[in-house]
Amino acid sequence: MLKTWIKSRLARKSGISQYNAAQRERIAQRIQKVVPPLSLLLFFVGVGWILLFPLQEFNRKTYISENALLPGQANAYYGYNDMQIAENYRYELKDVQNKDSETRGAWVQTEFQRMGFISTIQHFDIDGEKGVNAFAVYRAPRSDGKEALVLSAPWISRTNDYNTNGVAVLLSLAKLFKRNVYWSKDIIFLVTDKEMAGTQAWVDAYHGTGDQDAFSVVMPRSGAIQGVVNLDFPGIHDYESLGIFFEGVNGQLPNLDLINTINTVTNRLVRVPLTLHEETSYPFKDTAWADYFESLYHMLRTMRYQALGHSSSDAGLYLRYKIDAVTIHGIRGSTHLNALFGFFKIGM
C-alpha cells in the first residue's frame, strides 16, 4: 500500500513539473512577442524625454548652490592702468610669439621674475611633442599654502591663432594680484606650449604622475589646486562675446557653481554676452522657438564631447585630477560691431 502511494505521488509531481514547463514556455513566447515593440516604445520615450530638457519648464536655468560665493556682490579692480599694461604686453608679444619655444618661455619667466614671483620653465617631451612651459607661483600673504588656484593661457589658441591677448591679460592680471594682499589662496600663473600637450605635461609633473623622465625641472609647488581658469583670446582684436568650454576627458564635468559664477559675473558686472562653446548662430534663430533650439544645440554638443571622451579645451585635462576647470574663449564676430569689448572687460 505504501509503495502504491509513493508511486502515485511521484506521478503527480511529474505531471505538475511538465505542466509548469509548458506554462513557462508559453509565458516566454508571449514576452518575446512583446519585447521588440516595447523596446522601440521605450526608445522613443527616452528620446522624447531628452528633447524636453531644453524647455524652460524642465530646467532650473543657472543657480548657485554654494551661498558663500555671492558672485553678484563682486567688485571690479581691473582698471585703466591694468588695461594699459596689457596693451604694452600685447605689443611686446607680437615680436616674441614668433620665436622658438625656448625664447618665448625664457621671456615669460623673466617677466614673472621682474614682478617678484618664484618662476621657472619646464621642458617636456610627450609623444614627440617638445615644448617649454613657463609658470610662476604667487604665495599669498594670507594663505597657508595648502590650496591654490591656476590662471593659465596657451601660446596657441583653439582657433590656431596666437593667443596674444590671452597671454597679455594673464601677465597684467599677475601684476594686479601682486599689488593686492587679501588673497586666501596661492595663485599659479601658467603659460603653456604645444596646446594640450603642454598642459598635460605640466599638470602631470605637478602631481608627480606620468613619465617623470619627460620633464626637465623639479617644479616649485603650492597646495592642492582647487580651480583653473584658462584664458583663450586669439589675436589682437576685440571680441563680441565670450564662450565657455568645460567638458573634460571621458565625460567629466566641473562643479556647476564655477560655470554659474562666471555667468553671473559676466551678465551683472561685466555685461558682455556669454555662450557655451563658441557658437553664436543657431538653426531657427529668428523663430518663436529660438531659445529652445539654442539650448538643444548646446546640449547636443556637450553630449557629443562627452560621448567622444576627449576634452573640449586645455582646461578639461585638469578634471581627471578632480580639479574644477574651464576655458574662457573670446569670440570674434561681425554681427554686433557696436558692442565689441577688449582688455578692460576681459580683465574684469
Side-chain angles (χ1 to χ4, degrees):
M1 182 176 179
L2 179 61
K3 186 176 181 180
T4 304
W5 180 81
I6 293 174
K7 287 183 178 180
S8 63
R9 294 288 297 180
L10 291 175
R12 186 182 303 174
K13 287 185 177 180
S14 176
I16 292 174
S17 63
Q18 291 177 0
Y19 171 77
N20 289 339
Q23 187 180 27
R24 286 196 298 268
E25 185 176 355
R26 287 195 299 270
I27 294 174
Q29 290 176 353
R30 291 177 182 176
I31 292 176
Q32 288 177 354
K33 292 180 180 179
V34 174
V35 165
L38 180 62
S39 300
L40 188 62
L41 175 63
L42 293 177
F43 171 78
F44 284 110
V45 169
V47 172
W49 186 251
I50 291 175
L51 294 177
L52 289 176
F53 287 156
L55 291 173
Q56 298 297 328
E57 295 80 2
F58 289 88
N59 63 69
R60 298 185 62 184
K61 300 183 180 180
T62 57
Y63 64 95
I64 304 296
S65 61
E66 178 54 66
N67 295 327
L69 287 175
L70 298 176
Q73 304 297 321
N75 295 318
Y77 294 95
Y78 194 88
Y80 178 78
N81 291 335
D82 302 299
M83 183 180 68
Q84 288 296 113
I85 291 172
E87 289 181 351
N88 293 336
Y89 276 127
R90 178 168 62 186
Y91 291 129
E92 294 184 46
L93 284 167
K94 288 167 65 176
D95 296 328
V96 175
Q97 65 191 9
N98 296 314
K99 301 184 183 299
D100 59 274
S101 297
E102 187 72 32
T103 303
R104 294 187 304 193
W107 182 84
V108 174
Q109 180 189 18
T110 301
E111 292 300 320
F112 282 143
Q113 290 174 342
R114 287 177 180 174
M115 300 176 197
F117 296 128
I118 300 172
S119 179
T120 188
I121 58 176
Q122 174 202 21
H123 296 82
F124 63 88
D125 184 357
I126 297 182
D127 298 330
E129 287 281 356
K130 297 182 179 180
V132 179
N133 294 328
F135 66 99
V137 179
Y138 174 40
R139 305 199 184 280
R142 296 188 178 184
S143 170
D144 57 5
K146 294 182 179 180
E147 295 180 341
L149 301 175
V150 174
L151 187 65
S152 66
W155 277 110
I156 304 297
S157 168
R158 61 180 296 107
T159 62
N160 292 324
D161 298 318
Y162 284 114
N163 187 27
T164 311
N165 284 346
V167 177
V169 168
L170 182 143
L171 293 173
S172 66
L173 286 172
K175 283 193 172 183
L176 172 64
F177 292 161
K178 184 66 174 179
R179 294 199 306 267
N180 297 284
V181 297
Y182 43 71
W183 310 111
S184 61
K185 293 178 175 59
D186 291 349
I187 302 173
I188 300 173
F189 303 98
L190 170 65
V191 180
T192 58
D193 196 14
K194 302 299 181 182
E195 295 83 34
M196 289 190 181
T199 302
Q200 188 68 66
W202 187 86
V203 70
D204 285 347
Y206 189 89
H207 292 91
T209 61
D211 183 8
Q212 296 299 307
D213 294 335
F215 315 131
S216 65
V217 64
V218 178
M219 297 177 61
R221 287 177 172 81
S222 178
I225 299 174
Q226 301 299 306
V228 179
V229 175
N230 185 54
L231 302 176
D232 188 338
F233 292 90
I236 59 175
H237 305 289
D238 292 340
Y239 308 94
E240 72 167 12
S241 61
L242 296 176
I244 185 168
F245 291 83
F246 52 90
E247 296 88 358
V249 178
N250 296 327
Q252 294 175 308
L253 298 174
N255 191 318
L256 190 61
D257 280 349
L258 177 59
I259 300 173
N260 290 335
T261 297
I262 295 173
N263 177 67
T264 302
V265 171
T266 54
N267 288 334
R268 297 185 182 181
L269 180 64
V270 186
R271 298 187 182 278
V272 298
L274 177 69
T275 183
L276 299 180
H277 310 115
E278 77 272 27
E279 296 296 334
T280 57
S281 60
Y282 317 95
F284 310 102
K285 188 174 183 179
D286 298 326
T287 66
W289 288 79
D291 291 339
Y292 172 81
F293 284 109
E294 178 181 348
S295 299
L296 177 63
Y297 177 85
H298 288 307
M299 183 185 73
L300 293 177
R301 183 156 188 188
T302 298
M303 292 172 62
R304 172 178 170 270
Y305 277 121
Q306 291 182 287
L308 293 177
H310 61 73
S311 172
S312 62
S313 68
D314 294 8
L317 299 175
Y318 291 89
L319 295 175
R320 60 191 291 259
Y321 290 95
K322 308 299 181 183
I323 300 171
D324 297 324
V326 296
T327 291
I328 301 178
H329 174 65
I331 302 173
R332 293 179 293 189
S334 58
T335 56
H336 301 91
L337 295 179
N338 60 334
L340 297 180
F341 59 89
F343 283 131
F344 181 67
K345 290 194 173 182
I346 294 173
M348 292 173 65

